[in-house]
Amino acid sequence: MDRKDKQLRKDIAAGPARSVLLAGVGGQGILRASDILCRVIMEAGLDVKKSEVHGMAQRGGCVTSHVRYGQKVYSPIERKGNVDILLAFEKLEALRYLDYLKPSGRIIVNETEIYPPAVNLGTMPYPDNAVALIRQGFSTVKVIKARDLAAAAGNIRAENTVLLGALSPWLDFAPDLWERVLKESFPTRTLDANRQAFHLGRDYREGEGGG
Amino acid sequence: MKLLMSGNEAIARGAYECGVSFGAGYPGTPSTEILEEFSKYEGVYAEWAPNEKVALEVGIGAAVAGAKALVTMKHVGVNVAADPLFTVSYTGTNGALVIITADDPSLHSSQNEQDNRNYAKFAKLPMLEPADSDEARRFVRIAFEMSAAFDTPVFLRSTTRVSHSKSVVVAETPVPLEERRELRIDPAKYVMVPAMARMRRVEVEKRLRALRAFAETFPENRMEIRNGEAGIITAGMPYNYAKDVLPDCSYLKLGLVHPLPERLIRKFAASVKKLYVIEELDPFLEEQIRAMGIEVTGKELFPYTNEFDPGVIAGAMGLKTDASIKPPEVVIPPRPPNLCPGCPHRGLFHVLGKLKATFVAGDIGCYTLAFMKPLAGLHSCICMGASIGMAHGMSKALGEKGRGKVVGVIGDSTFLHSGITPLLNLAYNQGEAVIVICDNRTTAMTGMQEHPATGYTLQGTKTKEVDFQALATVLGIDSVREIDPYDLKNTRTVMKEELARGGSSLVVSRRSCVLFKRHSPETRKPLRVNANKCIGCRNCLDLGCPPIAWRSFKDRPAHEIVKNAKKQDGNSYIDADSCTGCTLCQQVCKVGAIEEVE
Ligand SMILES: Cc1ncc(C[n+]2csc(CCOP(=O)(O)OP(=O)(O)O)c2C)c(N)n1
């Protein structure tokens, strides 16, 4: 562990527990992504807890995963108004969980739209200004087309890894730590695509095209 | 070794670490993964029983033979297992018996929110309650030690948040507890006829007294003294929420929630100016503490319903929260769980939902979701197995008025869980109803567990496979048929014929769950809507299939609009990425607008 890592660990340990809320739709790989995130945090020497609800919610319903970390973590779930980073796998879900963020909270929104039943049936509209609504309340918003980047990496199912990549510069954990955990998390068959997806997400700068 | 584990994985690990090698259970969220994980450890025997009552009886048998037995179920499973539970409390267990009850505050995946701590008091059994994964692991060993030491079944209560949260576990190398398996005949202890049960009844009270004394010095009933102002008595997951919000209070954290350590509670109460109890659901601790004559604040501040989180506690304690974010001013369409694309239940319920003036008594499983619009093909859900008895009762109550109008639907796993006896009753008492087994060849809702009709056991051995049709015939059902729910026309015809014929019928609606690969290796071509043919009638949308969406002409550029009917105001669209090609939409389309993607 180099000096920067040690300092980071100290900084995090000194403050209250930090939190990331991952939100999206069943089948998007949210639980896998939050598992990887937790492994990185654990390997960085911090305490970590995460929580999600399985079961009925997987059948196309909303899926959220709370991740909290710090020197010592008690609750595995964060309260409303207190989340540091919202990692939204889908635009509508970004809106749904916006009130979990603290006023200074940061958001990453995936441009993907997955229609819920009422939208499919034409009885309710899918909000067409989701990103604008998000920007109204928050100054740090990163919008990303994770599916396109995943396709560019050679595996559209790696959308979740693209989003982890996009999250990674905001958390300051050493890149080689991510690298190691990614390697342990994927079978060789899909590792290259996922590694590529992670980097495309990590290097993504809004406004520079690329997706 | 530090590992990140869910509460359920940690319970399995805990059992393995103390050398437990016998497990039985029935799946149910949030308990399912405990037995699945346990079954993977080397040298372990584990089985899915058809229901929780059988699972507990299997566990009792193993324990009486000297084994250390683990039995797992969700909270409502204990209702099913309650009969043996209350009497094994009298007999004791010889070996050791630990029952995991996984409760579901907030009803994330359940039909009710019962607080199973009440069962510990009711059945006079000790109950441990861990607050995180590492405690879950450690408490399993304590539970087995207590079971052996006090000759009693021991409950370990988890909740959804404990079972499905992950936290750091310090895994230890297994140190097996002693176990001696042998036949042991002891009628005075195990034959619970009145004369002998009366004697054991006295033993139960003796045991409770001993357990109360044990609780007083049990190290997992732990005091954390910070200041003398406010003291909090709590247990399980709410301890974590409280610690986050109220780090400076004093705590009495109970690892054993039944029986309670009265002297310790008095001591703690005396050391603080104001005493709170923070517990989800029922005022279980609060009422007992108040009955000790101790003044305590609990449910006047904290809710009775739903699980807590740190925000609930901050709110109840009147603390200012910095929740200043106003939700955006936009209507966010809800996203309820839905039947998957290609789900075999969809075809059946499309047909049932369109039967006029017919009551479809439902049951629990993925198919319960078919109650929602647009399918709206199911009209009740009470508990596992209720559909058949209800359909029978309804047909008897309605008599002539109900003839040809009562259907009961039940999943394959649910039928084997508790549908056989009511089917027998339907035949025996000559009810008039059509019962449909939604046989998707697996227990889909809880994640594809094996059951007695799948042909495999929990640990993957090939085994006998029950034949639903033959079973219904020997029970005395008048007419027995099979349908493929992907074939809408035949499904409709058979349902109409069976409803018209009177007497009792069983229809097996058989088609494997689309997510379950054992039976459906063939991949079908996804479908698409040919806009040059679609007349915008919305028949396909009536299926409520996730890939099918309505696209209104309203806000679309002129060149995209193709009208094939006078009043057409939009057309359907299928997302080829998620379409499985089940062809139901093709079958309901009257103009042949739905085609295979080339
Ligand atoms: C007493 C009880 N035990 C367990 C459960 C959890 N549970 C609900 S439905 C179900 C089985 C579903 O399987 P099946 O009937 O085959 O229907 P499917 O989901 O496959 O459509 C289970 C295990 C419950 N609700 N109640």
Side-chain angles (χ1 to χ4, degrees):
Chain A
M1 202 174 281
D2 63 25
R3 272 238 309 285
K4 186 166 165 258
D5 279 355
K6 273 199 193 127
Q7 187 54 43
L8 173 69
R9 226 182 98 179
K10 258 200 203 143
D11 289 348
I12 294 174
R18 300 184 184 190
S19 52
V20 180
L21 176 60
L22 298 85
V25 180
Q28 285 194 294
I30 292 159
L31 307 187
R32 180 72 169 272
S34 75
D35 268 344
I36 293 173
L37 173 59
C38 287
R39 287 280 301 281
V40 169
I41 297 168
M42 207 171 107
E43 306 250 326
L46 292 162
D47 190 21
V48 60
K49 285 187 178 172
K50 74 162 202 158
S51 189
E52 58 234 2
V53 174
H54 309 226
M56 293 255 309
Q58 280 180 329
R59 304 277 174 260
C62 314
V63 173
T64 60
S65 178
H66 293 241
V67 174
R68 299 188 75 232
Y69 61 100
Q71 175 69 16
K72 165 80 189 153
V73 179
Y74 285 101
S75 171
I77 37 176
E78 187 56 274
R79 65 185 112 159
K80 283 190 177 171
N82 214 35
V83 164
D84 293 291
I85 298 173
L86 173 63
L87 182 61
F89 284 54
E90 202 268 353
K91 276 196 295 190
L92 198 57
E93 299 313 305
L95 289 176
R96 199 187 308 281
Y97 293 97
L98 219 49
D99 60 349
Y100 270 87
L101 278 163
K102 49 173 69 154
S104 60
R106 296 182 283 177
I107 306 159
I108 294 168
V109 198
N110 184 7
E111 274 276 18
T112 298
E113 293 183 0
I114 301 173
Y115 290 172
V119 175
N120 271 349
L121 294 174
T123 55
M124 280 178 103
Y126 189 100
D128 55 6
N129 54 344
V131 171
L133 285 166
I134 294 167
R135 288 199 198 277
Q136 266 172 25
F138 297 90
S139 52
T140 316
V141 183
K142 194 192 294 195
V143 183
I144 180 167
K145 287 196 168 100
R147 196 185 280 205
D148 293 354
L149 293 177
N155 185 350
I156 54 161
R157 301 197 52 81
E159 209 176 352
N160 55 353
T161 318
V162 172
L163 289 167
L164 277 181
L167 172 71
S168 64
W170 286 3
L171 297 180
D172 293 330
F173 296 115
D176 60 330
L177 195 56
W178 284 99
E179 187 72 27
R180 203 166 71 225
V181 173
L182 284 178
K183 203 169 154 195
E184 286 162 11
S185 305
F186 292 99
T188 14
R189 195 167 41 81
T190 60
L191 178 62
D192 271 350
N194 275 287
R195 204 186 256 147
Q196 175 88 8
F198 182 84
H199 286 290
L200 288 176
R202 186 171 174 94
D203 298 339
Y204 178 77
R205 298 283 174 278
E206 226 177 311
E208 286 176 15
Chain B
M1 186 182 23
K2 276 193 177 179
L3 300 168
L4 190 70
M5 277 191 167
S6 69
N8 283 349
E9 289 166 335
I11 290 171
R13 173 81 204 180
Y16 166 70
E17 283 181 5
C18 55
V20 176
S21 64
F22 196 99
Y26 181 74
T29 314
S31 72
T32 312
E33 302 83 6
I34 302 171
L35 204 63
E36 287 179 331
E37 291 300 321
F38 176 70
S39 74
K40 294 177 196 159
Y41 284 106
E42 192 154 328
V44 149
Y45 174 77
E47 65 174 40
W48 287 131
N51 69 30
E52 294 85 352
K53 177 177 187 286
V54 177
L56 179 54
E57 289 156 351
V58 167
I60 294 171
V64 170
K68 292 191 301 291
L70 175 75
V71 178
T72 67
M73 59 194 68
K74 71 181 284 169
H75 62 337
V76 286
V78 181
N79 302 338
V80 177
D83 205 6
L85 177 75
F86 279 79
T87 306
V88 71
S89 172
Y90 285 25
T91 63
T93 52
N94 185 27
L97 177 65
V98 171
I99 306 160
I100 314 285
T101 165
D103 292 12
D104 190 18
S106 279
L107 303 91
H108 294 286
S109 331
S110 303
Q111 67 268 35
N112 80 23
E113 198 184 34
Q114 67 190 48
D115 184 336
N116 273 11
R117 293 178 300 173
N118 294 299
Y119 266 117
K121 191 151 177 275
F122 198 2
K124 298 174 183 287
L125 298 174
M127 178 181 272
L128 292 154
E129 187 169 358
D132 61 24
S133 299
D134 201 52
E135 277 193 6
R137 179 190 66 84
R138 288 192 295 113
F139 282 19
V140 173
R141 172 178 284 269
I142 296 171
F144 275 102
E145 285 169 349
M146 283 176 72
S147 177
F150 293 93
D151 190 20
T152 179
V154 174
F155 264 124
L156 188 139
R157 177 186 188 243
S158 177
T159 58
T160 301
R161 281 297 160 195
V162 173
S163 282
H164 287 173
S165 292
K166 289 194 177 176
S167 57
V168 179
V169 161
V170 187
E172 292 174 52
T173 23
V175 183
L177 297 168
E178 192 199 333
E179 179 175 272
R180 233 180 64 224
R181 296 190 186 183
E182 63 190 1
L183 270 184
R184 205 168 144 217
I185 294 171
D186 186 355
K189 194 154 179 278
Y190 297 110
V191 184
M192 287 301 94
V193 293
M196 296 197 272
R198 266 179 221 122
M199 317 250 272
R200 294 299 306 172
R201 176 74 190 82
V202 178
E203 294 300 315
V204 172
E205 294 304 323
K206 267 196 215 154
R207 184 180 72 205
L208 262 183
R209 271 200 300 282
L211 282 163
R212 280 194 197 100
F214 169 86
E216 296 291 354
T217 54
F218 178 48
E220 299 294 343
N221 289 335
R222 177 176 87 218
M223 282 212 273
E224 297 169 11
I225 303 296
R226 291 288 137 76
N227 72 45
E229 289 298 315
I232 293 167
I233 301 182
T234 185
M237 188 51 84
Y239 165 76
N240 295 313
Y241 304 149
K243 283 291 276 191
D244 254 354
V245 180
L246 306 162
D248 302 323
C249 291
S250 293
Y251 282 84
L252 172 57
K253 181 195 175 290
L254 297 171
L256 189 68
V257 291
H258 188 260
L260 293 183
E262 186 170 340
R263 266 185 292 126
L264 188 65
I265 289 171
R266 285 188 191 289
K267 189 171 152 204
F268 181 71
S271 72
V272 294
K273 284 215 187 92
K274 189 163 168 65
L275 186 66
Y276 296 89
V277 171
I278 299 186
E279 58 187 327
E280 289 169 338
L281 308 184
D282 294 346
F284 180 79
L285 305 173
E286 181 184 340
E287 281 178 354
Q288 294 180 72
I289 293 167
R290 192 164 289 131
M292 294 170 192
I294 298 170
E295 202 179 307
V296 59
T297 302
K299 291 295 170 188
E300 52 274 58
L301 295 182
F302 296 96
Y304 283 85
T305 55
N306 290 332
E307 64 175 350
F308 294 175
D309 66 19
V312 169
I313 291 179
M317 296 295 280
L319 300 178
K320 257 211 3 240
T321 52
D322 35 31
S324 57
I325 301 296
K326 277 196 234 47
E329 282 181 23
V330 59
V331 183
I332 302 171
R335 196 187 294 279
N338 190 4
L339 297 178
C340 302
C343 173
H345 297 322
R346 182 170 283 108
L348 172 69
F349 285 93
H350 181 71
V351 169
L352 295 179
K354 295 216 177 304
L355 292 175
K356 288 206 182 64
T358 304
F359 191 94
V360 180
D363 224 296
I364 310 191
C366 288
Y367 51 95
T368 315
L369 296 172
F371 86 92
M372 283 186 299
K373 280 183 187 155
L375 291 171
L378 179 146
H379 307 124
S380 68
C381 163
I382 304 278
C383 68
M384 287 187 76
S387 56
I388 303 178
M390 280 179 66
H392 172 71
M394 205 168 274
S395 88
K396 284 286 171 189
L398 290 171
E400 198 51 47
K401 271 198 228 163
R403 183 148 297 155
K405 298 196 168 72
V406 182
V407 174
V409 292
I410 186 164
D412 46 343
S413 187
T414 304
F415 174 72
L416 296 164
H417 177 280
S418 46
I420 300 173
T421 39
L423 192 68
L424 174 65
N425 184 53
L426 177 74
Y428 168 59
N429 284 310
Q430 303 185 36
E432 304 232 348
V434 179
I435 305 304
V436 185
I437 298 182
C438 315
D439 181 12
N440 59 359
R441 318 301 309 276
T442 182
T443 316
M445 170 128 209
T446 41
M448 316 299 165
Q449 289 74 33
E450 305 292 353
H451 62 56
T454 64
Y456 290 87
T457 68
L458 166 60
Q459 293 185 301
T461 340
K462 188 101 189 71
T463 182
K464 296 178 172 59
E465 191 178 321
V466 87
D467 176 339
F468 291 133
Q469 282 99 315
L471 177 62
T473 306
V474 298
L475 291 179
I477 295 299
D478 298 321
S479 170
V480 180
R481 314 265 301 258
E482 181 174 328
I483 54 173
D484 174 1
Y486 270 11
D487 179 347
L488 286 177
K489 193 160 159 224
N490 186 54
T491 298
R492 199 175 300 120
T493 308
V494 169
M495 284 311 298
K496 287 200 168 146
E497 281 171 11
E498 289 309 304
L499 281 164
R501 64 179 297 290
S504 58
S505 303
L506 181 86
V507 177
V508 178
S509 174
R510 174 167 289 175
R511 160 81 52 179
S512 163
C513 169
V514 270
L515 304 180
F516 186 52
K517 298 299 172 215
R518 182 180 295 154
H519 300 283
S520 48
E522 103 258 43
T523 41
R524 294 158 170 255
K525 286 215 173 106
L527 304 176
R528 65 182 192 103
V529 176
N530 181 342
N532 294 320
K533 289 189 184 168
C534 177
I535 56 166
C537 70
R538 300 175 191 242
N539 271 0
C540 54
L541 288 163
D542 252 12
L543 290 163
C545 186
I548 311 179
W550 178 248
R551 287 200 168 168
S552 165
F553 286 157
K554 211 169 57 213
D555 14 64
R556 279 162 62 188
H559 71 269
E560 274 188 17
I561 295 173
V562 190
K563 272 199 179 187
N564 301 304
K566 243 204 204 130
K567 286 191 182 149
Q568 188 174 354
D569 59 346
N571 52 18
S572 298
Y573 170 82
I574 297 175
D575 172 22
D577 283 349
S578 51
C579 173
T580 65
C582 76
T583 76
L584 290 185
C585 54
Q586 212 170 24
Q587 294 174 48
V588 299
C589 182
K590 295 233 163 59
V591 295
I594 298 179
E595 307 164 343
E596 269 184 15
V597 172
E598 291 314 314

